[in-house]
Amino acid sequence: MEGLLTRCGALAACSRQLSGSIPRGFHHCALGRGKRLVLSRMFQPQNLREDQVPSLEGRSGDLTCKSQRLMLQVGLIHPASPGCYHLLPYAVRAMEKLVRVIDQEMQAIGGQKVNMPSLSPAELWRATNRWDLMGKELLRLRDRHGKEYCLGPTHEEAITALVASQKTLSYKQLPFLLYQVTRKFRDEPRPRFGLLRSREFYMKDMYTFDSSPEAARQTYSLVCDAYGSLFARLGLPCVKIQAAVGSIGGTMSHEFQLPVDVGEDRFAVCPSCSFSANVETLDFSQTNCPSCRGPLTETRGIEVGHTFYLGTKYSSVFNAQFTNVHGKPSLAEMGCYGLGVTRILAAAIEVLSTEDGLRWPNLLAPYQVCLIPPKKGSKEAAAAELTGQLYDDITEAVLPLRGEVLLDDRTHLTIGNRLKDASKFGYPFVIIAGKRALEDPAHFEVWCQNTGEVVFLTKEGVMELLSQVQVV
């Protein structure tokens, strides 16, 4: 028992320092005794057989990666049009938790949250020459007056124009670390892999404004460290690598790559030192590390974050100035920092899940606990009332788990069928009222899905175990 508590309690220990102050919303209504979250009322179109999974062309062969297949099967997403997906309740809950973790990390380093329009005027993009440079990936449109806009894939122009409009900035106010979490748009020529490469997606984009190159580099390191902290809390083994600046521009860039075979990016790492880089930044014939001359190992990954040191590339165009210590106007030194929110969600599922079921970063599981009562009319049916009592006891005594416990009330199905579904959904803890629930005292079968352990616990043991679960 002690070992189980230690191992299962460690599943969410990474969130203890920062999770206590976040208010937790409830699905449907505020929950009290008699107000229970039940699976039968969830809007969750399930396609738990692979041959039933919907795709836009109706062919299961279109499902080219594990995360896409599983997310469609359990009803996290549903296709709307090529490269666009409806995010369904479980996916929205997980994404909201991810955004809360991102908010915690960004605000811990001084980030201030803003929200900019997705619709961006063409003149801003023409000022930086990116209206033409972005080519067909930029989704463009005209309003009824003939004015041109784009649906922003990123917001360097918009944020710099916003800061430039503030004419009385002082060096004493800097740095500014302004960020948002919003929908972004990119006209992908071949969207694929579900949320890993889509035309509409959620991104966290931060833009920083500093008073000097030295201060800007310090801010750059600060944000990169915050990214490392974020991925560590999520249990994702991301690698920070040197990268090309591309159409964003600037003089320095790094990607945060999650190693996985389905990844479209290739990067090289040196086992002998800390060097790592996207292969795009290396000479075609380069096989040795430029730092220590050791051999390079190539691997594939999914880019989940990207950082850029921009210098004055954008501030010089829009005249984003501040008054320096000598009372003279100076251009702000900028950086920009992206995180693919929906991509992180899908990439985590790709890396952590089994072939048959979702597995979540512990902080992001849509629901932490699933309770399975006996089948109606079975020999164990008398234990059904105990399951309801356990639900109420958990949600009343373990306050962080209010809104995190789900009751599978589909008692026309066997326990085995519902357990199979629970495994597919990946709830971290599945608690079953089976034969041993009729004992005195009652024992519940507890499945710790992320460790693969199964144990029988009394109600007191269940409460002790779940009291260690941390949620964001």
Side-chain angles (χ1 to χ4, degrees):
M1 174 65 180
E2 182 178 352
L4 177 70
L5 290 174
T6 300
R7 288 187 292 274
C8 291
L11 293 177
C14 59
S15 69
R16 289 179 177 170
Q17 293 181 346
L18 292 171
S19 65
S21 61
I22 303 298
R24 296 168 182 86
F26 300 131
H27 208 81
H28 303 318
C29 60
L31 301 178
R33 185 172 290 274
K35 302 276 190 175
R36 297 167 182 160
L37 288 171
V38 293
L39 187 57
S40 64
R41 294 190 60 189
M42 295 293 169
F43 180 70
Q44 203 65 24
Q46 300 174 32
N47 301 276
L48 297 179
R49 281 173 38 198
E50 188 166 345
D51 59 357
Q52 295 176 335
V53 174
S55 64
L56 289 171
E57 293 75 27
R59 303 187 303 271
S60 61
D62 296 328
L63 308 177
T64 49
C65 68
K66 178 172 57 179
S67 58
Q68 181 186 17
R69 172 173 56 83
L70 289 173
M71 294 179 83
L72 286 166
Q73 280 182 342
V74 304
L76 294 182
I77 59 176
H78 190 84
S81 63
C84 296
Y85 290 87
H86 301 288
L87 301 183
L88 302 182
Y90 275 52
V92 171
R93 280 183 64 92
M95 192 176 74
E96 288 174 343
K97 291 181 177 184
L98 175 55
V99 171
R100 286 200 289 270
V101 181
I102 291 172
D103 283 340
Q104 290 171 357
E105 294 294 341
M106 295 301 98
Q107 292 170 20
I109 60 172
Q112 301 179 65
K113 200 168 188 178
V114 299
N115 196 314
M116 291 177 279
S118 295
L119 206 58
S120 187
E123 57 263 28
L124 291 180
W125 291 74
R126 288 199 171 102
T128 59
N129 296 319
R130 291 212 298 168
W131 184 259
D132 297 321
L133 182 63
M134 292 291 290
K136 294 182 178 180
E137 287 191 359
L138 203 60
L139 278 165
R140 308 159 200 257
L141 62 155
R142 293 177 183 266
D143 67 10
R144 66 181 65 191
H145 306 293
K147 185 175 176 63
E148 291 183 291
Y149 296 87
C150 68
L151 290 174
T154 183
H155 278 74
E156 283 81 11
E157 286 83 358
I159 193 68
T160 312
L162 173 63
V163 171
S165 70
Q166 312 304 303
K167 299 299 185 181
T168 59
L169 293 181
S170 165
Y171 73 96
K172 296 178 182 180
Q173 296 173 265
L174 302 182
F176 285 140
L177 289 77
L178 306 176
Y179 79 99
Q180 61 178 351
V181 180
T182 57
R183 292 178 186 266
K184 297 291 192 294
F185 304 86
R186 182 178 292 121
D187 194 358
E188 288 284 353
R190 186 171 168 254
R192 54 199 180 277
F193 303 139
L195 298 187
L196 292 179
R197 182 167 290 280
S198 55
R199 285 179 170 159
E200 183 176 350
F201 50 94
Y202 279 88
M203 187 169 86
K204 187 284 302 177
D205 44 324
M206 173 178 272
Y207 306 92
T208 61
F209 298 81
D210 275 278
S211 59
S212 69
E214 295 76 22
R217 292 189 185 94
Q218 290 178 2
T219 298
Y220 187 93
S221 297
L222 189 68
V223 179
C224 287
D225 288 346
Y227 277 22
S229 175
L230 168 72
F231 293 123
R233 291 179 65 192
L234 298 178
L236 300 177
C238 288
V239 180
K240 177 185 172 186
I241 68 171
Q242 298 177 22
V245 297
S247 62
I248 301 264
T251 57
M252 179 171 60
S253 173
H254 289 87
E255 293 171 349
F256 289 78
Q257 291 279 351
L258 188 57
V260 62
D261 290 340
V262 76
E264 296 186 279
D265 293 318
R266 295 183 300 124
F267 62 96
V269 296
C270 178
S272 302
C273 68
S274 59
F275 177 85
S276 57
N278 193 304
V279 295
E280 295 176 352
T281 67
L282 303 175
D283 293 336
F284 181 75
S285 60
Q286 190 168 351
T287 59
N288 292 328
C289 173
S291 300
C292 70
R293 311 310 302 169
L296 290 173
T297 300
E298 187 175 307
T299 188
R300 304 188 75 88
I302 298 171
E303 179 193 327
V304 289
H306 206 150
T307 60
F308 299 84
Y309 173 48
L310 301 174
T312 59
K313 174 180 170 62
Y314 294 89
S315 59
S316 61
V317 173
F318 295 101
N319 203 28
Q321 294 183 335
F322 66 95
T323 302
N324 63 25
V325 68
H326 303 294
K328 304 293 184 181
S330 293
L331 291 173
E333 293 280 334
M334 290 179 57
C336 67
Y337 311 83
L339 286 173
V341 178
T342 40
R343 182 178 284 188
I344 290 172
L345 199 63
I349 289 172
E350 185 71 36
V351 170
L352 300 178
S353 297
T354 69
E355 288 297 326
D356 299 320
L358 294 170
R359 295 297 179 266
W360 299 90
N362 302 304
L363 294 179
L364 305 188
Y367 295 94
Q368 290 289 330
V369 182
C370 178
L371 296 179
I372 300 180
K375 181 181 180 182
K376 186 176 181 179
S378 68
K379 294 179 181 179
E380 299 83 21
E385 186 176 347
L386 293 176
T387 315
Q389 292 173 353
L390 180 62
Y391 184 107
D392 294 337
D393 290 339
I394 294 171
T395 56
E396 290 180 6
V398 188
L399 296 183
L401 291 184
R402 286 188 178 180
E404 293 287 337
V405 183
L406 193 62
L407 180 66
D408 190 341
D409 61 331
R410 302 172 301 160
T411 53
H412 61 286
L413 299 176
T414 65
I415 285 177
N417 283 334
R418 284 176 287 162
L419 177 60
K420 185 176 180 181
D421 287 357
S423 179
K424 180 78 78 171
F425 279 96
Y427 308 105
F429 299 95
V430 180
I431 302 173
I432 300 170
K435 293 180 181 179
R436 294 196 59 185
L438 299 175
E439 296 177 356
D440 187 14
H443 282 72
F444 297 92
E445 186 176 350
V446 180
W447 290 65
C448 297
Q449 301 245 58
N450 289 339
T451 64
E453 295 184 79
V454 182
V455 68
F456 288 89
L457 299 176
T458 63
K459 184 187 79 170
E460 292 73 20
V462 170
M463 301 292 285
E464 184 181 356
L465 172 63
L466 295 183
S467 69
Q468 300 189 36
V469 176
Q470 300 293 317
V471 295
V472 66

